[in-house]
Amino acid sequence: MKKKQLFDNLRYADDDILGEMAELCRPLDKAADRRILSGIERKCGGEVCGDDTEDYGFEVKGVDVYMRPKWYKKVKAAAICLLCLGGICIGTAGVRKLISRNANDITSVSGSDMNEDAEKTEINIALVGNEELFNGVKYVHGAISKMNSSSDKYRIKLTEYKGAPDDKEQNYDELTNRLAMDMAAGKVPDVIIAPSYQLDKFRRNGYLTDLSPLMDSGVGLKSEDLLDSVRKSIDDNGKIEIIYPAFKLYTAAVETERAGEGMENWNVQQAIDAYNSSDGKLLLWMSREYDLNSYFFYGAMMSCIDFSSHSCVFGNDFVQTMDFLKSVPDCWAIYGNDADQVADPEGLVRMMEINGINEKCAWTILTAFKDAPVTFVGYPTNNGRGSFTDIPISLGILSNTKNKEAVWEAVSEMFFNTEFLRRLSEYEVGIPVTKKAVDKLMKLSEYEEMSINKGIIVWDEDEEEKMKFSDEQKQMLYDYINRVEIDPFVNKNIEQIIKEESDYVFNGERGIDEFIEIINSRIGLYLSETQ
């Protein structure tokens, strides 16, 4: 066994892998333990044993900015030691087998074979942000791990720009600036994966390549593979510079018979009329974060911002919504504490997050409307938008990348294959962007994990009934996500700024005109600074 191969494999092994190795090893006596640990410490170039906590810090090496934990468990060291000394003779091949055993699992972050291989094309990917914050699923790591363990053409090198693991509020502007500084120093990756509004900074400054020729080349993902709504969202006058594997959809639905025909994406006045005619019982009962204010205010707020052009106008439409909300008693202050005032089981509207073609989507619609036809009225807006999206990650290929065709093929294989997209839906990361993946999810057996075709328990007057999403409902859902308007550049920081300032209005500390003047100034300044 070659020592270099062994240590290269072990360097990228995770806790679970090394723990499994340790279970295969026979115990050491204390003297041998101390002697071997000392040797391994020299081999690994760091402290092997210490306390049982991880010491996280940033290290810059090339374009690498990543978090490196110390070797801190003796079981890890013991496993390495016994392998080095021949305590168990599983060899390099055995180590590789253990490390890549979960390569098909999207949540696996097992290490990959990082040995130098001149015949493979190396592709450098920069990942901005801590992807564990997205439902706790390391899907980017999983896709890269699978590629490195199975491809005979490509070797992926991942560089992460992220904060500490306990930092739940990642400063994406700071992390993106760190990447930009490395790029300015000549350390440029082939691919950037980041929240879409951060990746947009590189797009607007001309750093990203046009993917249209690559999508028409016959290699990798093609434009016709995408949902119509997705293809339209990424097409910028014939150029495609940013693409994403999945999106979440925030919308609202009403039983068609009660809403009336032609009410999809209704305007503010139609929603106000529905509220008045329902004796204030507009919303179906939901959790604490949903209330009448959230419903009206979110739509009004989002429709005033053009994220693609980095501009905002809070005008008469916004004033109309704010005037209505101020007329509703305690609208802003109540968050589910009084269901009769805020939401009612007999209400019309069900707000919903569609985060995949999955069991949760079926549950949300069936528990509210059973098998009745529904209309997606969305959030009240006067621009016909109605529904809003959240895109966890987007990716772009840098314009100076040498072998763009090879990079596009690898990116397509990692992040747009049907099985990967299916897992994103299962883990509630988002709705897949390809027609093939959506079609496969629609046809899953009811026995498959998170299948949209699972039986859902629905209660009616204290009696339970098991229902399934019908073919008609699946077609309705498919048609909707295929035509919905998607904005790939929604910025959560802007939402927070608006909510902060609106508190002063509803508390009576500021008038609406003053609020609009302040919010236009703050948002305009933020958009200008973050470009």
Side-chain angles (χ1 to χ4, degrees), residues 303-527:
S303 62
C304 292
I305 307 169
D306 186 342
F307 292 100
S308 59
S309 65
H310 283 245
S311 61
C312 61
V313 178
F314 290 83
N316 292 333
D317 292 345
F318 190 77
V319 172
Q320 178 188 15
T321 301
M322 297 290 280
D323 284 339
F324 164 71
L325 289 176
K326 290 198 70 175
S327 71
V328 179
D330 298 323
C331 173
W332 186 252
I334 299 175
Y335 288 88
N337 294 324
D338 189 335
D340 290 334
Q341 287 184 273
V342 177
D344 191 276
E346 298 178 358
L348 289 173
V349 179
R350 176 67 179 263
M351 289 185 283
M352 61 183 68
E353 171 193 305
I354 303 176
N355 53 31
I357 310 301
N358 52 31
E359 182 182 2
K360 184 175 180 180
C361 176
W363 179 89
T364 301
I365 294 176
L366 288 175
T367 54
F369 308 110
K370 297 187 178 180
D371 57 357
V374 302
T375 297
F376 289 99
V377 295
Y379 288 84
T381 60
N382 287 340
N383 62 1
R385 180 82 180 272
S387 301
F388 302 96
T389 48
D390 178 24
I391 299 172
I393 60 165
S394 297
L395 59 90
I397 296 176
L398 276 295
S399 55
N400 67 337
T401 296
K402 294 180 180 179
N403 194 344
K404 294 182 176 65
E405 292 77 12
V407 172
W408 178 244
E409 181 181 43
V411 164
S412 299
E413 185 177 339
M414 282 188 287
F415 303 119
F416 295 96
N417 71 78
T418 300
E419 188 58 29
F420 175 80
L421 296 176
R422 172 186 168 182
R423 292 297 183 90
L424 294 186
S425 179
E426 288 179 359
Y427 286 104
E428 302 179 8
V429 174
I431 303 167
V433 297
T434 68
K435 298 174 183 176
K436 184 177 180 181
V438 170
D439 184 63
K440 182 171 183 177
L441 287 164
M442 290 287 191
K443 296 177 179 178
L444 282 182
S445 162
E446 64 177 300
Y447 303 107
E448 296 277 357
E449 183 179 3
M450 287 295 291
S451 171
I452 195 172
N453 296 307
K454 282 185 178 292
I456 305 296
I457 301 298
V458 177
W459 290 86
D460 184 11
E461 297 181 356
D462 298 328
E463 293 185 6
E464 67 175 53
E465 178 183 359
K466 191 173 185 179
M467 302 188 68
K468 291 185 180 180
F469 217 50
S470 68
D471 291 340
E472 291 77 14
Q473 287 173 311
K474 285 187 284 186
Q475 187 63 50
M476 168 204 67
L477 179 63
Y478 179 85
D479 291 343
Y480 182 62
I481 64 175
N482 201 39
R483 68 173 178 266
V484 72
E485 184 178 346
I486 300 174
D487 187 341
F489 304 118
V490 172
N491 188 327
K492 295 295 183 182
N493 293 332
I494 292 178
E495 292 183 41
Q496 187 59 38
I497 291 173
I498 298 172
K499 289 176 180 178
E500 288 174 4
E501 293 295 338
S502 62
D503 282 343
Y504 295 104
V505 178
F506 289 99
N507 291 335
E509 298 177 37
R510 286 178 188 160
I512 294 177
D513 291 340
E514 184 182 4
F515 165 78
I516 291 176
E517 182 180 351
I518 292 173
I519 206 66
N520 275 323
S521 175
R522 279 197 66 183
I523 298 297
L525 179 62
Y526 173 82
L527 292 174

Side-chain angles (χ1 to χ4, degrees), residues 145-316:
S145 176
K146 181 177 180 180
M147 172 66 78
N148 281 332
S149 65
S150 62
S151 176
D152 58 358
K153 297 173 64 175
Y154 304 113
R155 180 177 63 254
I156 311 301
K157 179 182 178 182
L158 177 64
T159 300
E160 298 183 70
Y161 294 75
K162 63 181 182 179
D166 58 349
D167 183 6
K168 301 304 181 183
E169 298 295 332
Q170 300 280 295
N171 188 333
Y172 286 104
D173 291 330
E174 179 184 328
L175 299 177
T176 301
N177 288 340
R178 192 177 297 157
L179 168 60
M181 290 174 65
D182 279 346
M183 292 173 60
K187 304 164 185 176
V188 183
D190 298 303
V191 179
I192 297 175
I193 299 177
S196 54
Y197 69 94
Q198 294 293 339
L199 194 59
D200 187 43
K201 298 176 183 179
F202 297 96
R203 179 187 71 88
R204 287 183 284 106
N205 286 283
Y207 285 102
L208 302 183
T209 194
D210 181 10
L211 302 176
S212 299
L214 300 175
M215 299 179 81
D216 294 337
S217 67
V219 176
L221 182 72
K222 305 174 182 61
S223 60
E224 57 263 30
D225 296 335
L226 300 171
L227 292 169
D228 295 342
S229 55
V230 173
R231 187 168 62 247
K232 182 179 178 181
S233 74
I234 60 177
D235 189 308
D236 182 16
N237 296 318
K239 294 176 65 177
I240 297 175
E241 296 170 302
I242 289 178
I243 193 166
Y244 49 91
F247 64 97
K248 291 182 179 181
L249 182 61
Y250 299 94
T251 186
V254 174
E255 190 175 324
T256 301
E257 184 177 346
R258 301 182 68 185
E261 296 294 335
M263 296 293 282
E264 182 169 300
N265 295 336
W266 59 8
N267 60 39
V268 175
Q269 191 58 53
Q270 288 171 328
I272 291 174
D273 292 342
Y275 171 81
N276 292 330
S277 64
S278 67
D279 296 325
K281 298 179 179 181
L282 180 69
L283 302 181
L284 285 162
W285 182 84
M286 293 289 286
S287 57
R288 285 177 60 86
E289 70 256 34
Y290 294 108
D291 62 4
L292 189 66
N293 176 292
S294 299
Y295 182 59
F296 277 89
F297 185 74
Y298 187 74
M301 171 184 69
M302 297 297 285
S303 62
C304 292
I305 307 169
D306 186 342
F307 292 100
S308 59
S309 65
H310 283 245
S311 61
C312 61
V313 178
F314 290 83
N316 292 333

